[in-house]
């Protein structure tokens, strides 16, 4: 099992450019999450999904969109990147909701100049 | 919404000493409290968790305690080793049953 994978691993964008981060999991998990990690601020939830075809806003959703067309994939989109979106992005998945272990992907380091 | 505060932000100990990291939470309805360890450049991984129906849980050199009345929980690492050096995150589930994470503690174990 590959677990949770993310592509790309690194990316540099100019302000105003767009991009999509891809997360895939092979554990048949219902729940998937996108977090951003900034120094001293822990992991903050951007969007999450409770199943195929569903998405919901987390703590810091502004400037991001998501889609979950297939159960195993969860996409995070930045339509018009801003320097404030420079961060490390982690995808995670779990079988159940907030009371279950979350399995994280390796992360994507995004720099917006 | 849920607010999780974590202290200290950095902690340096000598190898063999104990380390304690503390977290407080605001939502009295929270009932699940995991701890994640993130080594440098790696992904966070669950090391231990506790539910609100127990006050303490141990797994070899690590233990977690929970005080529901005071709304705080702590991670205890005994006989620290250099491989314990990492960033540790506490978390609590919130009203939407998602996790709210603390800001992290960078633990450095000096050989």
């Amino acid at each position: 099992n590959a677990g949770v994978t993310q592509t790309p691993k690194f990316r540099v964008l100019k302000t105003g450019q767009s991009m999509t981060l891809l997360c895939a999991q092979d554990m048949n998990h219902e729940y998937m999450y996108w977090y951003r990690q900034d120094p001293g601020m822990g992991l903050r939830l951007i969007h999450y999904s409770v199943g195929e075809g569903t998405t919901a806003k987390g703590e810091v959703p502004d400037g991001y969109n998501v889609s979950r067309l297939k159960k195993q994939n969860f996409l995070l989109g930045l339509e018009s990147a801003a320097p404030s979106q420079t961060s490390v992005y982690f995808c995670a998945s779990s079988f159940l909701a907030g009371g279950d272990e979350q399995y994280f992907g390796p992360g994507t380091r995004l720099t917006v100049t | 919404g849920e607010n999780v505060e974590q202290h200290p932000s950095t902690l340096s100990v000598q190898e063999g000493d104990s380390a304690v990291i503390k977290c407080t939470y605001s939502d009295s309805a929270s009932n699940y409290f995991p701890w994640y360890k993130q080594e440098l450049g790696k992904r966070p991984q669950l090391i231990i968790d506790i539910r609100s129906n127990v006050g303490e849980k141990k797994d070899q050199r690590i233990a977690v305690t929970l005080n529901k009345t005071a709304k705080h929980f702590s991670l205890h690492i005994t006989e620290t080793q250099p491989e314990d050096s990492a960033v540790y995150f506490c978390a609590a589930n919130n009203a939407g049953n998602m996790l709210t994470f603390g800001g992290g503690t960078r633990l450095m174990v000096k050989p």
Side-chain angles (χ1 to χ4, degrees), chain A residues 13-55:
Chain A
L13 287 180
K14 294 186 187 300
T15 298
Q17 288 184 321
S18 64
M19 76 165 293
T20 300
L21 284 69
L22 172 63
C23 176
Q25 53 96 2
D26 62 1
M27 296 175 282
N28 201 34
H29 285 166
E30 291 291 339
Y31 294 81
M32 296 188 75
Y33 317 85
W34 276 108
Y35 292 93
R36 60 177 290 172
Q37 183 176 34
D38 302 293
M41 302 187 74
L43 294 151
R44 292 184 292 167
L45 185 64
I46 304 170
H47 286 279
Y48 64 96
S49 168
V50 302
E52 181 178 317
T54 74
T55 62

Side-chain angles (χ1 to χ4, degrees), chain B residues 13-79:
Chain B
V13 300
Q14 286 296 132
E15 182 177 357
D17 288 350
S18 295
V20 181
I21 302 169
K22 299 181 179 181
C23 289
T24 60
Y25 61 98
S26 60
D27 188 347
S28 57
S30 296
N31 59 10
Y32 175 66
F33 308 91
W35 287 87
Y36 284 80
K37 175 184 181 181
Q38 185 180 27
E39 296 178 358
L40 188 62
K42 305 290 187 181
R43 69 191 78 190
Q45 291 187 295
L46 180 73
I47 55 170
I48 195 168
D49 56 16
I50 191 168
R51 300 184 190 274
S52 59
N53 57 347
V54 298
E56 184 175 5
K57 183 177 180 181
K58 290 183 180 179
D59 183 2
Q60 299 182 348
R61 294 186 298 107
I62 61 174
V64 57
T65 58
L66 172 65
N67 183 325
K68 287 174 55 180
T69 303
K71 290 191 280 189
H72 68 70
F73 56 112
S74 300
L75 177 71
H76 304 253
I77 306 174
T78 59
E79 301 173 17

